[in-house]
Amino acid sequence: MAEDRQRRYPQNLQGVLQLAVEAGSAAEGPAPVEPMSEERKTWLREALSEICKGQMDEVEQMKQCLAVLRKEGISERETGGEEEMGEDDEDEQESAFEMLSELCANLDNARDLMILGGLELVVSQYLCHSQSGLRWRAADLIANCAQNMPEVQVHLLDIGALPKLLQLTDSDPHSTVRVKALYAVSCLVREQEAGLQVFLSHDGFSVLMRGMQSENEKLRTKSAFLLLNLLTSHPEQKDTVVSMGMVQQLVSVLRTPHSPFHEHVLGALCCLVENCHQGLNDCVNPDLRLEELLRQRAKELQGKEESQEELDFCERLRVLCFRSQQSDDSVMDR
């Protein structure tokens, strides 16, 4: 009993887990001589109760946030949609979204939000909201909930989230909304076969093509990265992408002022050339002057450590497309 009275018990979940680990380790040694003291049992019950209470508190916080987000829909129905939202209301709703995004970093909370009907509310009411600050926060929350959560991904696909997100990515007037929407698209499409099929049925590759041609650097980068990822994971889509004229579009993108996202563009071109006869034919078309462009780009990247991966893609594409001329290129480079 004296030892139990002197022991300082942990005050948080990490401490509880550490105690459990220590208890497990101790179990591997000699069996304890004395049973757990009543004081220690009481503390353990209280600690577990606090943990469960904390989890319930988070569910209650989500319910409160959803009540804030639902208020506007009720107000619009009562007034016929004629009353404009005040700044205080918008600030309150933005705060609710930020709290939900923070809570849903916990995957259990993301699932609970789905069960509470929160995702239907976000998709139906806020992806099309007149305020851009609420549209991008809605897309961001969807992305956070969908990451690594197949159950939530399927639910979002079932309620029609992906077509709306693709539309926002393609045509929203605010760049932040477009970037966040594409982030959510990525979370619903990568490693998700059902999501890929919806993406294809809504001409998602064309959305990525236009994204790479936009003026927004983040959107260009994320579009090129997702294209590269999808072509790597789903090589069976190469013929579809090549038939859209993607090779010509990517080479056109490479002719724009140099940017770090060109690394992903070169990687995508490598994918479209490998084991794809039409992709190779498109790349070696003399009218495209791709060989000249690659030779010049390689010279520009030489000696730049931060561009080594882009240089590797550049050299790899040269080998894949113009292998027979590599010896001549080596002489010219020297």
Side-chain angles (χ1 to χ4, degrees):
M1 290 292 293
E3 180 182 349
D4 284 331
R5 284 194 296 271
Q6 294 173 3
R7 183 187 297 274
R8 296 182 61 186
Y9 297 121
Q11 301 297 313
N12 53 33
L13 177 57
Q14 184 176 357
V16 175
L17 294 176
Q18 181 62 38
L19 183 62
V21 171
E22 291 173 355
S25 300
E28 297 174 0
V33 177
E34 297 180 358
M36 182 183 295
S37 68
E38 287 301 319
E39 180 183 357
R40 193 167 179 180
K41 288 180 181 178
T42 300
W43 171 85
L44 187 56
R45 282 194 296 268
E46 291 175 351
L48 292 173
S49 175
E50 284 298 313
I51 293 169
C52 294
K53 180 175 179 292
Q55 291 174 335
M56 289 300 297
D57 284 347
E58 290 187 348
V59 172
E60 289 303 316
Q61 289 178 60
M62 288 193 292
K63 288 181 179 178
Q64 291 172 10
C65 290
L66 291 176
V68 170
L69 297 180
R70 287 190 174 106
K71 278 197 308 187
E72 180 179 294
I74 296 172
S75 176
E76 285 183 350
R77 287 193 296 273
E78 291 174 348
T79 63
E82 297 177 359
E83 184 177 336
E84 293 186 3
M85 182 175 62
E87 289 185 8
D88 290 344
D89 292 332
E90 184 179 353
D91 289 344
E92 188 178 17
Q93 289 169 340
E94 289 181 356
S95 297
F97 269 114
E98 289 166 5
M99 174 63 74
L100 286 173
S101 289
E102 182 178 340
L103 290 170
C104 289
N106 180 325
L107 298 184
D108 289 336
N109 287 338
R111 185 181 292 105
D112 287 339
L113 182 65
M114 176 188 71
I115 294 170
L116 291 170
L119 294 178
E120 287 96 334
L121 174 68
V122 171
V123 169
S124 65
Q125 188 168 316
Y126 284 94
L127 286 182
C128 56
H129 201 280
S130 60
Q131 301 296 325
S132 62
L134 294 174
R135 289 199 303 279
W136 77 252
R137 285 177 172 83
D140 192 53
L141 177 60
I142 289 171
N144 289 339
C145 290
Q147 286 191 90
N148 305 313
M149 287 285 289
E151 180 183 359
V152 174
Q153 292 168 352
V154 170
H155 176 71
L156 285 164
L157 293 171
D158 287 343
I159 62 177
L162 188 52
K164 293 183 178 182
L165 291 165
L166 285 168
Q167 183 178 5
L168 290 177
T169 301
D170 206 22
S171 59
D172 197 276
H174 293 268
S175 60
T176 302
V177 177
R178 298 181 71 185
V179 170
K180 293 294 187 179
L182 182 56
Y183 171 39
V185 168
S186 178
C187 292
L188 288 172
V189 171
R190 295 175 61 184
E191 312 302 330
Q192 173 54 261
E193 183 62 33
L196 177 65
Q197 295 308 313
V198 177
F199 177 85
L200 294 173
S201 68
H202 287 81
D203 202 16
F205 282 119
S206 291
V207 174
L208 297 185
M209 181 188 294
R210 290 188 288 271
M212 287 182 287
Q213 297 168 336
S214 75
E215 296 181 358
N216 184 273
E217 179 73 11
K218 285 186 178 180
L219 187 62
R220 291 198 300 265
T221 301
K222 291 183 180 296
S223 297
F225 180 78
L226 181 55
L227 174 64
L228 174 57
N229 179 274
L230 291 177
L231 290 175
T232 302
S233 303
H234 301 278
E236 72 278 3
Q237 298 300 325
K238 291 180 184 180
D239 290 337
T240 298
V241 173
V242 168
S243 69
M244 297 166 51
M246 185 67 81
V247 168
Q248 293 84 349
Q249 294 289 341
L250 293 177
V251 173
S252 176
V253 168
L254 286 178
R255 294 190 184 279
T256 62
H258 183 257
S259 170
F261 90 96
H262 285 182
E263 171 190 321
H264 306 315
V265 175
L266 285 164
L269 280 169
C270 288
C271 286
L272 292 179
V273 165
E274 290 182 302
N275 301 315
C276 182
H277 182 70
Q278 188 56 52
L280 178 60
N281 283 346
D282 287 350
C283 279
V284 300
N285 187 329
D287 294 337
L288 212 55
R289 305 197 328 271
L290 178 59
E291 182 184 7
E292 175 187 347
L293 175 61
L294 293 176
R295 186 188 296 113
Q296 181 61 37
R297 181 60 54 85
K299 288 180 179 179
E300 294 171 357
L301 298 177
Q302 287 290 345
K304 296 182 179 179
E305 185 176 350
E306 69 279 7
S307 301
Q308 185 58 50
E309 191 164 356
E310 182 179 352
L311 177 60
D312 291 344
F313 276 134
C314 189
E315 296 289 3
R316 179 179 165 194
L317 188 58
R318 290 175 70 191
V319 170
L320 290 168
C321 295
F322 310 104
R323 187 187 307 273
S324 63
Q325 302 175 16
Q326 287 303 299
S327 58
D328 293 339
D329 291 344
S330 297
V331 172
M332 291 179 65
D333 289 341
R334 288 198 294 270

